[in-house]
Structure formats: structure tokens, C-alpha cells
Amino acid sequence: MQEKLRKMLENALTELEKASSEKDTEDVRIRFLGKKGEITEVMKSMGKLSPEERKELGRAANEVKDRIQESLKAKAEEIKQKAREGRLRAERIDVTEPGIPVEYGVKHPITQVIEEITDIFSSLGYSVYEGPDIDTVFNTFDGLNSPPTHPARDMTDTFYVTPDIVLRPHTSSAEIRAEQGLPVPYKIVIPGRCYRCDTPDATHSHTFHQIEMMVIGEDITMADLKGTLDMMAKKLFGPETRTKFRPHHFPFTEPSAEMDVSCFKCGGKGCNVCKGSGWIEILGCGMTHPHVHQAGGIDTDKYTGFAVGMGVERIAMLKYGIDDIRNLYENDMRFIKQFK
């Protein structure tokens, strides 16, 4: 029986020498030391032997068992070490190789224009204020002095969610919210997305962006409005830019005006961008109508103010020479990458 144990030890050591994975070592353990393993079977058969023989055979079996366990432990450690070395070789980095180029993203031209304009007004002490994309008919029309017969209130122009709720067609709807919620005096700029029932073409879209500007305080005059917008135009289009104000009509301002800037492409001489006039219209503005202040709960005897509304896409198209508004919404990276 002891000769059989010696043979088992030799076989176990030979099998472990050949083992190349954790599975191989586990197979050896099960074969010799498992519940039905060869060493276990030998020890089970000792019951038939005399006490002296059991003692002698038990000592020999335990020695063989210990040798196999030690060899198993050493082999397992050897296999782990080889696997670790293999991973290190596979994961080794050659620091002399050139790196993988990283491609940086580009801010969308609409985002760039919004940030540039808000930065200009922030430098003048304006705060950024935001209103919801879905607003009440009162904030959108009634509070802004637009009568029920105003054509902009038709379903052909405005998206209605319910008879009293609309997708805002202009950022001006946030003016009433600001008047009702902010302590006066204040200066705010309101960027946001707007929606109108327009058929998309080269210059129109059903979804677009506006930036509203609103000032309320004591002794605010048209001169404050013109000076502020003249400064904005010079910051936005260059120090040589000139501005011109033309009388116009908006329900929520009185007096109202449209502002033109001298063509930044031809300098006012006349070209295809300004259609030969030397001027480009970029926004509407005016002194806030007293009825709007009253709707917002502002004391019209003490406070006056002005409001400005400008289309972001229009300014982006003029500033960057974009001839089709649809290019701004097609997510074509070949187009967007040009605005790095």
C-alpha cells in the first residue's frame, strides 16, 4: 500500500509539472485529494488493517497528502505569476509612440452668438433671466398689450397647447413674469427658444431662438436705449459699426423702432448682404408700453423702461455669412466645424 502511495505522489507531481492553468491544478487536486480522490480512497481502506499498520499507513498517507498540497500551492502561485507577467507584457505602453489625436468639439454658432451677446450685457451689469417655453396666453399676448384681434394670436401663427396655453412665439412672454417676480429696478437679458407656425425655408423656421433685453428703472429714456444698443452693435460687429433707428410699431413698446447696423461686409457702400442699401436690420426695440408695466404690477408713475428683441439665427447668419437657416439645424459636423 505504501508503494501505491509513492506511485500516487509521483503521478501527482508529474501531472502538476505539466499543468499550465488553474483548471489543470484543480483537476489534479480533485483526482488525488478530492472526496473520491485516490489518496482519500486509500485512507478509507485503512479500517481493515491492524492498529500498527493503520498507524504506519496513515503517517505515510498524510505525508503524501501534505507533499501534494504544498506542490499544488506552489504550482498555483507559479501560474498566477506567469499570468500576471503576461498581462503586464500585453498592457505595456510604449511612451515613445505618438499619442492618439483627440478631436475637440465645436460650439454651435447659435450657442456662440447667445453667449457673446449675454456676455456683452453681463459686462454692463445685466442678469440672465429665463422663462418657460410653454406659457400662458396672458403672458404671451394680453399682458403685452396685444388685443384679441391681433393676427399673431391666430392658430395659423401660434402653436396652442390649450385655449389658454401656448408654445411661446417670442421671449417677450418672460417680461410679464420678470415684472411680477423681480424687485425693481433691474436689467435683464432673456435668451430662449421660440416657436411659430412657419414653413421652413432659407430664412424661416418653426423653431428658432431670440434674446430679449429689458430694463426698468427711474428716468429711463430712449437715449439710454439707443446708447446701449449702439455699444452692443460695436462689440458684436466691430468698432466701426454705425447704427440707425427707424420708427416702427410693436404693441408692447411706445415709441417703437427697428435698429439697423451698417453692413459689416461692405462698410455701408452696398453689397449683396445688405441688398445695396448699406444697412442691415437686426432687431426691434422701444420704450416699454405703460400697459405692459401695469399688467406686471409696475408703478408707471415712478418707473419707465425699454425692451429689445433680437433673432439669434438672423444675427448668426449675418455675422458668419450663412445663407440658409436650415444649415443651423441639420447637425452636419462639416458645417459646424467651420465655427471653431
Side-chain angles (χ1 to χ4, degrees):
M1 188 65 74
Q2 290 191 15
E3 179 63 25
K4 187 175 181 181
L5 285 171
R6 186 184 63 78
K7 190 67 175 176
M8 288 180 188
L9 178 59
E10 290 179 359
N11 291 340
L13 295 178
T14 301
E15 292 296 323
L16 284 174
E17 187 69 27
K18 297 177 182 178
S20 59
S21 66
E22 292 184 9
K23 182 181 181 304
D24 293 340
T25 59
E26 180 64 11
D27 289 343
V28 172
R29 187 194 69 78
I30 293 172
R31 176 182 169 185
F32 293 97
L33 304 180
K35 291 183 179 181
K36 297 181 180 180
E38 295 181 15
I39 303 297
T40 306
E41 293 298 325
V42 169
M43 298 185 77
K44 285 180 180 179
S45 65
M46 290 169 55
K48 302 176 182 179
L49 302 177
S50 65
E52 291 183 1
E53 289 176 327
R54 282 203 302 271
K55 183 178 179 181
E56 187 69 24
L57 186 60
R59 183 172 61 251
N62 284 330
E63 289 177 356
V64 171
K65 183 178 179 181
D66 290 344
R67 285 284 306 278
I68 293 176
Q69 286 178 333
E70 290 173 2
S71 299
L72 280 167
K73 184 178 179 180
K75 189 64 177 181
E77 185 60 33
E78 178 187 333
I79 290 173
K80 287 181 180 179
Q81 181 62 27
K82 288 183 178 179
R84 191 180 301 115
E85 292 173 355
R87 287 197 303 272
L88 289 174
R89 284 193 299 270
E91 296 171 1
R92 184 177 60 185
I93 299 174
D94 184 355
V95 295
T96 65
E97 289 188 357
I100 299 173
V102 177
E103 186 172 357
Y104 293 96
V106 181
K107 283 187 178 180
H108 197 281
I110 289 177
T111 301
Q112 293 187 39
V113 170
I114 290 175
E115 290 183 351
E116 186 174 2
I117 293 175
T118 53
D119 284 347
I120 290 172
F121 287 112
S122 294
S123 69
L124 296 175
Y126 284 68
S127 300
V128 177
Y129 183 85
E130 294 184 345
D133 287 18
I134 301 176
D135 213 333
T136 63
V137 169
F138 177 82
N139 287 343
T140 306
F141 296 116
D142 296 315
L144 295 176
N145 203 37
S146 297
T149 55
H150 196 283
R153 301 178 66 145
D154 291 343
M155 295 186 67
T156 54
D157 279 356
T158 298
F159 291 107
Y160 281 82
V161 179
T162 71
D164 298 317
I165 303 294
V166 298
L167 295 180
R168 66 177 178 191
H170 44 221
T171 47
S172 304
S173 61
E175 290 186 14
I176 301 299
R177 289 179 174 272
E179 290 188 330
Q180 293 173 342
L182 297 178
V184 292
Y186 62 75
K187 300 185 292 184
I188 57 173
V189 58
I190 312 169
R193 186 171 294 175
C194 304
Y195 312 86
R196 290 181 189 170
C197 298
D198 274 336
T199 301
D201 59 25
T203 56
H204 297 85
S205 175
H206 49 73
T207 304
F208 55 98
H209 299 76
Q210 281 188 347
I211 294 181
E212 196 84 6
M213 187 183 75
M214 188 180 191
V215 173
I216 293 181
E218 297 185 44
D219 302 320
I220 302 297
T221 67
M222 195 73 175
D224 298 312
L225 168 62
K226 295 176 68 175
T228 301
L229 293 182
D230 185 76
M231 188 281 297
M232 181 206 75
K234 287 177 168 56
K235 289 274 189 180
L236 195 60
F237 298 110
E240 304 301 321
T241 304
R242 292 172 291 121
T243 56
K244 179 175 68 173
F245 292 81
R246 293 178 287 101
H248 198 70
H249 169 72
F250 299 110
F252 33 85
T253 54
E254 180 59 38
S256 303
E258 285 188 335
M259 188 183 86
D260 299 341
V261 296
S262 56
C263 181
F264 42 82
K265 182 176 181 180
C266 66
K269 298 177 182 178
C271 66
N272 61 326
V273 173
C274 60
K275 299 180 181 178
S277 68
W279 296 92
I280 300 173
E281 183 265 313
I282 64 166
L283 57 82
C285 59
M287 300 300 293
T288 307
H289 200 290
H291 291 174
V292 175
H293 285 327
Q294 290 168 2
I298 303 297
D299 184 354
T300 55
D301 292 329
K302 184 177 181 181
Y303 296 106
T304 56
F306 60 77
V308 178
M310 61 191 87
V312 176
E313 281 80 355
R314 176 168 177 77
I315 292 176
M317 292 173 71
L318 294 170
K319 187 175 177 66
Y320 299 119
I322 301 169
D323 58 5
D324 194 323
I325 194 174
R326 290 169 292 194
N327 290 330
L328 295 170
Y329 304 114
E330 291 178 348
N331 297 322
D332 188 337
M333 291 306 298
R334 296 171 300 176
F335 170 78
I336 296 175
K337 284 180 179 179
Q338 298 178 63
F339 303 95
K340 280 188 177 182

